[in-house]
Amino acid sequence: NIAVIGAEMEDEDPAGSNTVSGAGSAYIYERQPNGVWQEVQKVIGEDREIDDLFGAAVSVRDDQIAVGAWRADEFDGQDLNLDVGAAYVFKRNMPLNINEKPWEHEFQIYPNPSDGLFSLTKQTSESIPLTLTVFDLLGNEIHEKTINLDNAIEIDLRELPAGMYLLMLKKEQSTKVLKWMKF
């Protein structure tokens, strides 16, 4: 009942503005009760750049949508790594666009990459309750826990195999997805 079509060379955001050459997008369609497919949302990468090619690969599984941006750049806190790629995971029972409700906090993972032991930090010391969900690049949920984040909390995921993971932070209906690599 849901389909995703990638448009990796598209330049505009969902409003049809903010042109970024080759940033890409993906269109989400839902089959209506009468059998007609209707577009329900256009999604983009949260940190879109020129030639990210967001939408080059798409996948739907149960209530999750994964969109690949195979030429996305990554800033690791010190260096800009060009064309390393990224994957974005959206859950169907949440707002599909991860930027629908802006966060008042910026989150960081340090160190990244790590051996599985890392700190999740934010700039303010105000305590906020979050659900932390870890996904592999196929969109499989592999870990979930509720945390109270002051300005930092240590996370231990050393039991996971080496690879790239997506960490989704959820507070009510707001979500933030961070990329993390385990060596």
Side-chain angles (χ1 to χ4, degrees):
N1 292 328
I2 191 167
V4 180
I5 299 173
E8 70 269 17
M9 294 300 295
E10 189 165 53
D11 302 335
E12 285 78 29
D13 67 6
S17 58
N18 191 16
T19 300
V20 177
S21 179
S25 65
Y27 293 85
I28 301 170
Y29 290 82
E30 197 170 71
R31 186 177 7 206
Q32 303 303 305
N34 64 1
V36 174
W37 288 91
Q38 178 180 4
E39 180 184 332
V40 293
Q41 190 165 4
K42 175 182 176 180
V43 293
I44 60 173
E46 70 175 2
D47 49 0
R48 58 199 290 262
E49 298 284 336
I50 294 173
D51 292 330
D52 278 353
L53 302 179
F54 179 92
V58 296
S59 178
V60 177
R61 181 173 181 208
D62 300 324
D63 64 345
Q64 298 174 358
I65 297 165
V67 181
W70 72 275
R71 291 189 60 200
D73 302 331
E74 174 68 26
F75 182 70
D76 65 11
Q78 296 175 344
D79 299 312
L80 179 62
N81 301 301
L82 299 176
D83 299 338
V84 295
Y88 298 81
V89 176
F90 306 90
K91 285 190 87 163
R92 191 166 175 217
N93 62 349
M94 292 185 215
L96 293 173
N97 185 339
I98 56 179
N99 286 327
E100 279 190 1
K101 290 189 177 182
W103 280 78
E104 63 274 14
H105 307 287
E106 281 297 318
F107 299 94
Q108 292 185 335
I109 298 170
Y110 182 81
N112 190 10
S114 73
D115 66 353
L117 189 62
F118 60 88
S119 293
L120 178 63
T121 64
K122 65 178 180 57
Q123 295 174 343
T124 64
S125 61
E126 163 201 3
S127 182
I128 56 171
L130 297 170
T131 301
L132 168 67
T133 308
V134 180
F135 296 92
D136 65 18
L137 290 184
L138 297 175
N140 298 313
E141 182 179 316
I142 55 176
H143 182 82
E144 182 175 277
K145 69 187 274 184
T146 301
I147 60 174
N148 281 311
L149 181 59
D150 296 322
N151 61 338
I153 188 169
E154 189 172 79
I155 307 290
D156 187 354
L157 297 174
R158 289 180 283 195
E159 76 278 3
L160 297 179
M164 180 71 77
Y165 295 91
L166 300 172
L167 282 70
M168 183 176 71
L169 303 172
K170 181 179 175 189
K171 176 184 157 190
E172 298 165 358
Q173 289 300 310
S174 296
T175 60
K176 177 74 172 175
V177 177
L178 303 169
K179 295 173 261 185
W180 167 65
M181 181 181 287
K182 180 180 187 295
F183 55 79

